Each structure stands twice: as C-alpha cells, then as structure tokens.
Amino acid sequence: MDWKLIMTAFVTLFLAELGDKTQLAALSLTAKSGKPFSVFIGAATALVTITLLGVIFGEALTKFIPAGYIHKGAALLFITIGILMLIGKI
C-alpha cells in the first residue's frame, strides 16, 4: 500500500471539498430531516461511488491517453471553469 499516495489523495480531496455544495446539501438535509446518521450514510455512499467511478474511468483513460496529457487537460479544464466563474458565466 502506498501511504504517501493515500495521504496525498486524502489531503487534496479533503481541501477541495471544504465548503462545497456537497457539504451545504448535507447540512441542509440534516437540518431538515433531523437524521444525521442517515444523511451521513447516504452522502458517504454517494461520494465513495462517484470516486470509484472516477478511479475506474481514470484507469481506463490512461490506457489510451498518456497521463501527462490527462494532467494538462484537467488543469486547462479547471482554469477554464475558474475563469468562467470569475466572469460570472457559471
């Protein structure tokens, strides 16, 4: 097991998810339902599922496209989304 990679993934995703729509949805659902454990189980299952899909898709994608191109493409996509958000198009 690659603990350095595990910690890098954890810290990166943890910081990226702070204060995002997922947390706001979980907060809202918990406040509305009063059932934090049920909201936690549902939210955790959704996050694990979408992460699994990302890992599977990422592994398949690297069989056809070199990882360097994927990294650059992802960076360009993030920059584009950031610019669109900055100018109010998203």
Side-chain angles (χ1 to χ4, degrees):
M1 203 172 275
D2 187 344
W3 288 103
K4 184 177 178 183
L5 183 57
I6 290 170
M7 287 308 297
T8 299
F10 175 83
V11 170
T12 302
L13 292 173
F14 184 84
L15 292 175
E17 294 297 325
L18 281 177
D20 76 345
K21 294 180 287 187
T22 305
Q23 283 185 338
L24 297 175
L27 186 141
S28 176
L29 284 170
T30 301
K32 184 176 180 178
S33 70
K35 298 180 180 182
F37 186 71
S38 295
V39 173
F40 171 75
I41 294 299
T45 303
L47 289 171
V48 167
T49 302
I50 200 67
T51 301
L52 177 63
L53 291 173
V55 169
I56 291 169
F57 182 69
E59 182 182 22
L61 197 58
T62 58
K63 292 180 181 180
F64 303 104
I65 302 172
Y69 290 146
I70 295 171
H71 292 180
K72 289 176 185 166
L76 287 173
L77 185 61
F78 275 110
I79 290 168
T80 301
I81 291 170
I83 291 170
L84 291 172
M85 290 176 72
L86 188 62
I87 63 173
K89 297 289 184 181
I90 292 181

